[in-house]
């Protein structure tokens, strides 16, 4: 059982808790009542708000619709006003731009083009919306006038700023072609940057808006004239420089500007002048420099002026290539792409035709000279042809895209030169063979004939143009091998040709030698010519070219030379036969000679003396220009005569065959040797 005290405490706790719960319940009831009251109040407020919103909506929506309509009307009015302003602006374009159009684009191109754009838009508007408006005619007139002014400005800019390229700059440009760094710095500035910008802007406007291509004709005509004048100026520079100083290159220029590069020596194209100098040298001197070949006459037509013309033409060809390349670079910036090739083709025609015409004139002169048998003229063709063939790849590249007739001009000239050159070579060989035996033209002293010297000097020039000459000969070949010839084939053709010329020359010399009645002089003549040919072949290295097809040529000439020496030595037999032991009287010392024996000894002495004097007198006037050969022949003859005369004199000098020994024993052995030593010496 729970104690009473604890039960009392327990009851009080329960009563307290119950009381708290009742208080809580009472609070909840009060709260619920208040919540219900608030809910009712809120519902009443919301119902009132809904009612007011409905009233407000019914009032605002009509106002909103009216406002929206008013805004739309305002926008339409603004658009209409804007359109009216735009349309009205077209009616003011003519008056706003007329002054600028009338004054032209010079000095204000961008502003001018802006005015032209406005005028163009006005034209388009009136054409689309009011084609009968008088304003259309007015803006059309302004547009055409503005276009004409732009065309005139284009022409004016090109005319005023297109300058002839100076010969000095052209020569620098050509001279720097082997120096890549120099070449990079040698770009020509035909137009300044500002002028080029204006020209490009005008050309693009004319193409895009002006629908006009006439300016392209203006462009090529002006640039064509400058190109042609630049090349002609270079040629004139050569002519003036050559006449004043003999040096046809750009002069030294003090205080050079930045656009004037340092001049480098321009390479000479060939060795044409060498032929003239050698011919003059051999016409005055023999092979060793002694006076001898006085009958040699230089080939006609070889002078400094001709060299200048050749140099000028060759440099003009190179100048054309470089200037044409530069012109094409300029043209690509100004002319529309699909018109560039045609315009460039027209631009270069005058300069190219001038070069081709001059080349054909050179060919024509060579042909006429060949008819006159003046084969020196063909030497002008060699360096030019070689340069044209070397330059052809660059030519083809520059002319790429031009008309076929333009591309074929250079190959046509090359073919013409090759044909003419081949004709000259063949005619020259035939002329060497058929040169007539003119007695008055034969050297009286038996020295080298002018035909020989001219033939050799002509052949020597072929050394400097081996490929060119070989190509000339190959161009006339009809065999299949000629169509694909290489350098070796060309070399063999040239070797065959040279051997043919030498063979013809030898045959002609043999024929000419018959003019001499004296066999000894005939031998001296052939000896001199054969020796001249051999020495010339060796000195000029022609012998190596000959050896390509004729290995024994050198040995053959030496044999011919030795044969003629032996023939000459036989001329002394009529002298030495008097003192030979054959048929000499045999006598015993101390035995008196009979009259017949004394007479025989006298005749032998007299015959020797007369023959020696006669031969020395005759042969003294003959010439052997080659010192080595002259000394060799003299020495051989001295040895033979001294040996025979010494023995004869030893045998009969002390024999009493006459009372006047000084009458018959006129010469000592040393005197005879001295007389022979003076042979072939016209100055003695």
């Amino acid at each position: 059982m729970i104690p009473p005290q604890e039960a009392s405490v327990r009851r009080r706790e329960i009563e307290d808790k119950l009381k708290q719960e009742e208080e809580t319940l009472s609070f909840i009831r009060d709260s619920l009542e208040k919540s219900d009251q608030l809910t009712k109040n809120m519902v009443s407020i919301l119902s009132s708000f809904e009612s007011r919103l409905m009233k407000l909506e019914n009032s605002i929506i009509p106002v909103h619709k009216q406002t929206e309509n008013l805004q739309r009307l305002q926008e339409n009015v603004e658009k209409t006003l804007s359109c009216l302003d735009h349309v009205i602006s077209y009616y003011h374009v003519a008056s706003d731009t007329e002054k600028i159009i009338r004054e032209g684009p010079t000095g204000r191109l961008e502003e001018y083009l802006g005015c032209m754009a406005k005028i163009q838009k006005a034209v388009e508007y009136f054409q689309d919306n009011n084609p009968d408006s008088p304003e259309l005619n007015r803006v059309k007139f302004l547009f055409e006038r503005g276009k004409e002014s732009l065309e005139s400005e284009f022409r004016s800019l090109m005319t005023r700023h297109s300058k002839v390229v100076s010969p000095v700059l052209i020569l620098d440009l050509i001279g720097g072609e082997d120096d890549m760094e120099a070449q990079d710095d040698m770009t020509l500035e035909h137009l300044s940057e500002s002028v080029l910008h204006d020209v490009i802007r005008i050309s693009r406007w004319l193409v895009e808006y002006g629908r006009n291509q006439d300016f392209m004709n203006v462009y090529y005509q002006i640039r064509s004239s400058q190109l042609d004048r630049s090349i002609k100026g270079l040629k004139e520079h050569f002519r003036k420089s050559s006449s004043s100083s003999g040096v046809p290159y750009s002069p030294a220029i003090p205080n050079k500007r930045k656009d004037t590069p340092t001049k480098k020596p321009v390479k000479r194209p060939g060795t044409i002048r060498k032929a003239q100098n050698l011919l003059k040298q051999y016409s005055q001197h023999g092979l060793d420099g002694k006076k001898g070949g006085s009958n040699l006459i230089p080939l006609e037509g070889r002078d400094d002026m001709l060299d200048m013309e050749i140099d000028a033409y060759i440099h003009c060809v190179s100048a054309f290539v470089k200037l044409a390349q530069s012109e094409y670079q300029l043209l690509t910036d100004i002319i529309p792409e699909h018109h560039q090739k045609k315009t460039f083709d027209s631009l270069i025609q005058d300069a190219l035709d001038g070069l081709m015409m001059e080349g054909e004139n050179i060919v024509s002169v060579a042909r006429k000279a060949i008819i006159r048998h003046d084969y020196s003229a063909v030497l002008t063709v060699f360096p030019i042809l070689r340069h044209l063939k070397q330059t052809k790849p660059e030519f083809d590249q520059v002319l790429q895209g031009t008309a076929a007739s333009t591309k074929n001009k250079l190959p046509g000239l090359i073919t013409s030169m090759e044909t003419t050159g081949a004709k000259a070579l063949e005619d020259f060989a035939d002329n060497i063979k058929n040169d007539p035996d003119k007695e008055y033209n034969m050297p009286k002293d038996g020295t080298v004939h002018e035909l020989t010297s001219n033939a050799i000097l002509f052949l020597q020039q072929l050394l400097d143009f081996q490929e060119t000459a070989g190509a000339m000969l190959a161009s006339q070949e009809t065999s299949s091998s000629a169509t694909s010839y290489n350098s070796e084939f060309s070399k063999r053709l040239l070797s065959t040709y040279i051997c043919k010329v030498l063979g013809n020359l030898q045959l002609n010399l043999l024929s000419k030698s018959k003019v001499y009645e004296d066999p000894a002089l005939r031998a001296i003549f052939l000896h001199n010519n054969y020796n001249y040919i051999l020495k010339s072949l060796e000195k000029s290295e022609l012998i190596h070219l000959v050896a390509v097809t004729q290995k024994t040529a050198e040995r053959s000439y030496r044999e011919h030379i030795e044969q003629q020496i032996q023939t000459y030595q036989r001329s002394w037999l009529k002298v030495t036969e008097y003192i030979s032991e054959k048929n000499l009287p045999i006598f015993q010392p101390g035995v008196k000679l009979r009259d017949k024996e004394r007479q025989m000894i006298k005749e032998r002495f007299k015959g020797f003396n007369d023959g020696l004097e006669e031969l020395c007198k005759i042969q003294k006037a003959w010439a052997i220009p080659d010192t080595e050969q002259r000394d060799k022949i003299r020495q051989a003859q001295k040895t033979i005569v001294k040996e025979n005369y010494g023995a004869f004199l030893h045998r009969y000098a002390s024999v009493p065959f006459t009372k006047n020994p000084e009458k018959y024993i006129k010469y000592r052995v040393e005197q005879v040797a001295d007389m022979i030593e003076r042979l072939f010496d016209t100055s003695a």
Side-chain angles (χ1 to χ4, degrees):
M1 260 184 91
I2 302 172
Q5 189 176 357
E6 291 181 3
S8 177
V9 172
R10 186 77 177 270
R11 186 170 54 252
R12 281 197 299 274
E13 291 177 353
I14 293 172
E15 287 177 354
D16 291 338
K17 189 172 182 181
L18 180 61
K19 186 178 181 179
Q20 290 178 353
E21 293 293 334
E22 286 177 350
E23 290 177 354
T24 302
L25 180 61
S26 176
F27 176 76
I28 291 172
R29 284 194 189 100
D30 291 340
S31 297
L32 285 173
E33 289 176 358
K34 290 180 179 179
S35 177
D36 288 342
Q37 185 63 39
L38 290 172
T39 301
K40 289 179 181 179
N41 292 336
M42 181 59 69
V43 169
S44 176
I45 292 171
L46 289 174
S47 297
S48 176
F49 186 69
E50 182 180 8
S51 174
R52 290 180 180 181
L53 281 177
M54 289 181 65
K55 290 180 181 180
L56 181 62
E57 183 179 355
N58 291 333
S59 301
I60 292 300
I61 286 176
V63 174
H64 174 71
K65 288 183 178 178
Q66 289 178 0
T67 303
E68 190 177 39
N69 290 335
L70 288 173
Q71 287 177 342
R72 189 178 298 111
L73 287 173
Q74 183 180 1
E75 289 176 359
N76 290 338
V77 169
E78 289 176 352
K79 287 182 180 179
T80 301
L81 290 174
S82 176
C83 288
L84 285 173
D85 289 340
H86 181 67
V87 170
I88 291 172
S89 69
Y90 288 128
Y91 285 86
H92 291 290
V93 165
S95 59
D96 292 343
T97 60
E98 185 174 10
K99 180 180 178 182
I100 295 176
I101 297 302
R102 186 174 62 250
E103 292 175 353
T106 304
R108 51 179 176 182
L109 180 61
E110 293 302 326
E111 181 184 4
Y112 195 88
L113 291 177
C115 291
M116 290 299 294
K118 292 179 182 179
I119 295 171
Q120 184 178 9
K121 289 179 180 178
V123 170
E124 292 172 355
Y125 170 79
F126 288 120
Q127 284 178 335
D128 293 340
N129 298 281
N130 193 1
D132 297 328
S133 170
E135 286 296 325
L136 176 60
N137 294 330
R138 189 178 179 189
V139 292
K140 270 188 173 181
F141 173 77
L142 280 178
F143 184 81
E144 291 300 322
R145 183 172 180 178
K147 185 171 70 171
E148 291 175 0
S149 295
L150 285 172
E151 292 172 358
S152 177
E153 179 70 5
F154 182 89
R155 179 188 294 273
S156 176
L157 287 172
M158 291 301 303
T159 302
R160 284 187 287 112
H161 297 281
S162 291
K163 304 298 182 183
V164 174
V165 183
S166 71
V168 174
L169 284 180
I170 296 176
L171 289 170
D172 284 336
L173 187 66
I174 299 172
E177 61 187 359
D178 295 329
D179 187 345
M180 296 307 295
E181 294 183 1
Q183 193 174 6
D184 291 340
D185 297 335
M186 279 302 296
T187 54
L188 293 175
E189 186 182 81
H190 295 288
L191 300 174
S192 66
E193 187 175 348
S194 60
V195 173
L196 181 61
H197 173 268
D198 288 351
V199 169
I200 292 173
R201 291 282 285 122
I202 294 174
S203 69
R204 289 178 180 174
W205 189 93
L206 289 173
V207 171
E208 186 174 357
Y209 303 108
R211 305 292 189 270
N212 190 318
Q213 298 180 5
D214 291 342
F215 78 94
M216 300 181 196
N217 296 332
V218 171
Y219 177 85
Y220 92 71
Q221 289 168 0
I222 293 173
R223 294 308 306 171
S224 175
S225 174
Q226 301 304 323
L227 175 61
D228 191 40
R229 289 169 60 193
S230 295
I231 294 176
K232 289 179 179 176
L234 176 62
K235 185 176 180 181
E236 185 64 24
H237 171 72
F238 269 79
R239 183 176 291 109
K240 289 181 178 178
S241 298
S242 179
S243 61
S244 62
S245 63
V247 183
Y249 305 121
S250 58
I253 302 177
N255 301 321
K256 288 189 269 293
R257 301 184 306 276
K258 185 176 180 181
D259 61 347
T260 307
T262 303
K263 183 72 197 76
K264 295 184 178 180
V266 179
K267 294 182 178 179
R268 300 286 287 174
T271 56
I272 294 301
R273 188 177 286 113
K274 181 170 70 177
Q276 180 189 13
N277 293 338
L278 287 173
L279 284 165
K280 288 180 178 177
Q281 175 184 344
Y282 287 127
S283 69
Q284 297 170 359
H285 305 286
L287 210 60
D288 62 345
K290 301 291 184 181
K291 187 170 180 64
S294 57
N295 291 319
L296 303 185
I297 301 174
L299 295 171
E300 298 177 1
R302 310 301 310 138
D303 54 20
D304 289 341
M305 184 57 68
L306 184 56
D307 273 340
M308 183 279 296
E309 294 291 344
I310 297 170
D311 283 354
Y313 184 75
I314 286 175
H315 284 88
C316 285
V317 169
S318 295
F320 172 81
V321 173
K322 296 299 180 183
L323 293 176
Q325 289 173 342
S326 180
E327 287 292 344
Y328 189 76
Q329 292 173 357
L330 177 66
L331 177 142
T332 54
D333 292 330
I334 300 173
I335 304 300
E337 184 176 357
H338 54 286
H339 293 287
Q340 289 173 1
K341 295 295 184 182
K342 182 179 179 181
T343 304
F344 180 70
D345 196 344
S346 301
L347 189 155
I348 62 174
Q349 283 304 314
D350 287 347
L352 182 59
D353 286 344
L355 286 176
M356 295 302 106
M357 185 179 298
E358 191 171 349
E360 288 295 346
N361 288 340
I362 292 171
V363 173
S364 177
V365 170
R367 286 174 181 158
K368 292 176 181 178
I370 292 168
I371 295 174
R372 301 193 308 269
H373 302 297
D374 175 16
Y375 300 100
S376 64
V378 78
L379 296 177
T380 63
V381 174
F382 279 95
I384 294 173
L385 177 58
R386 179 173 66 180
H387 186 72
L388 290 179
K389 297 182 79 170
Q390 290 173 345
T391 314
K392 188 176 181 298
E394 287 186 272
F395 246 100
D396 293 341
Q397 185 177 6
V398 169
L399 301 182
Q400 188 177 4
T402 58
S405 58
T406 303
K407 293 178 182 177
N408 293 332
K409 286 181 179 179
L410 180 65
L413 178 59
I414 289 175
T415 300
S416 179
M417 285 190 170
E418 283 189 334
T419 302
T420 301
K423 171 68 173 172
L425 291 175
E426 291 302 322
D427 282 9
F428 178 77
D430 292 340
N431 187 67
I432 291 296
K433 181 179 180 180
N434 301 319
D435 186 68
D437 303 330
K438 298 178 181 178
E439 185 173 353
Y440 65 84
N441 198 33
M442 294 293 290
K444 299 187 184 319
D445 56 1
T447 190
V448 180
H449 196 279
E450 83 172 281
L451 180 68
T452 303
S453 61
N454 287 346
I456 292 299
L457 290 171
F458 184 88
L459 294 179
Q460 285 175 344
Q461 300 312 299
L462 302 185
L463 283 173
D464 298 304
F465 307 99
Q466 293 185 41
E467 287 192 19
T468 305
M472 285 179 177
L473 297 170
S475 67
Q476 305 304 303
E477 291 288 320
T478 56
S479 62
S480 58
S481 60
T483 59
S484 59
Y485 76 94
N486 52 27
S487 59
E488 187 61 30
F489 176 77
S490 174
K491 193 173 184 179
R492 291 189 65 83
L493 276 180
L494 186 57
S495 176
T496 301
Y497 172 78
I498 291 174
C499 291
K500 177 182 178 180
V501 172
L502 292 176
N504 290 350
L505 177 60
Q506 186 172 340
L507 290 174
N508 200 315
L509 289 172
L510 284 171
S511 176
K512 289 182 183 302
S513 68
K514 296 176 182 177
V515 171
Y516 298 112
E517 296 180 0
D518 191 333
L521 181 55
R522 188 182 308 153
I524 291 297
F525 171 76
L526 291 175
H527 165 274
N528 284 332
N529 282 271
Y530 292 155
N531 183 64
Y532 177 88
I533 293 171
L534 178 60
K535 290 294 180 68
S536 298
L537 293 178
E538 291 175 337
K539 284 187 176 182
S540 64
E541 297 184 1
L542 269 172
I543 194 67
H544 300 308
L545 197 53
V546 170
V548 172
T549 54
Q550 199 171 100
K551 305 291 185 183
T552 62
E554 185 175 359
R555 185 181 66 189
S556 176
Y557 273 111
R558 295 194 186 282
E559 291 175 353
H560 287 318
I561 291 169
E562 190 59 36
Q563 181 181 353
Q564 298 308 319
I565 291 176
Q566 293 175 6
T567 301
Y568 162 74
Q569 288 176 342
R570 284 198 288 271
S571 68
W572 282 83
L573 290 177
K574 61 182 180 181
V575 175
T576 56
E577 69 179 0
Y578 285 105
I579 56 176
S580 64
E581 295 184 3
K582 182 180 178 181
N583 299 324
L584 283 175
I586 301 173
F587 62 91
Q588 295 296 328
V591 178
K592 186 177 180 181
L593 294 176
R594 292 176 294 175
D595 292 342
K596 183 178 181 181
E597 292 174 336
R598 286 196 298 272
Q599 186 61 33
M600 181 181 293
I601 295 172
K602 291 179 182 179
E603 290 175 355
R604 294 300 179 91
F605 269 108
K606 186 176 186 305
F608 172 80
N609 293 334
D610 293 346
L612 176 66
E613 291 169 355
E614 181 183 1
L615 277 184
C616 287
K617 180 181 179 181
I618 294 173
Q619 296 184 7
K620 180 181 177 181
W622 298 352
I624 299 179
D626 189 330
T627 304
E628 182 181 347
Q629 287 293 313
R630 186 166 64 237
D631 292 343
K632 175 183 175 182
I633 292 174
R634 284 172 176 172
Q635 188 59 43
Q637 204 56 52
K638 280 195 298 183
T639 301
I640 295 172
V641 176
K642 282 175 63 178
E643 183 178 328
N644 283 273
Y645 184 64
F648 181 77
L649 197 61
H650 182 267
R651 175 178 295 184
Y652 294 106
S654 59
V655 175
F657 64 91
T658 178
K659 295 180 179 178
N660 301 307
E662 65 279 357
K663 179 180 177 181
Y664 298 97
I665 307 177
K666 296 173 64 175
Y667 304 105
R668 300 190 308 276
V669 174
E670 291 74 13
Q671 288 177 310
V672 171
D674 185 60
M675 292 172 67
I676 296 175
E677 185 65 30
R678 289 196 295 270
L679 297 179
F680 317 117
D681 187 359
T682 56
S683 63

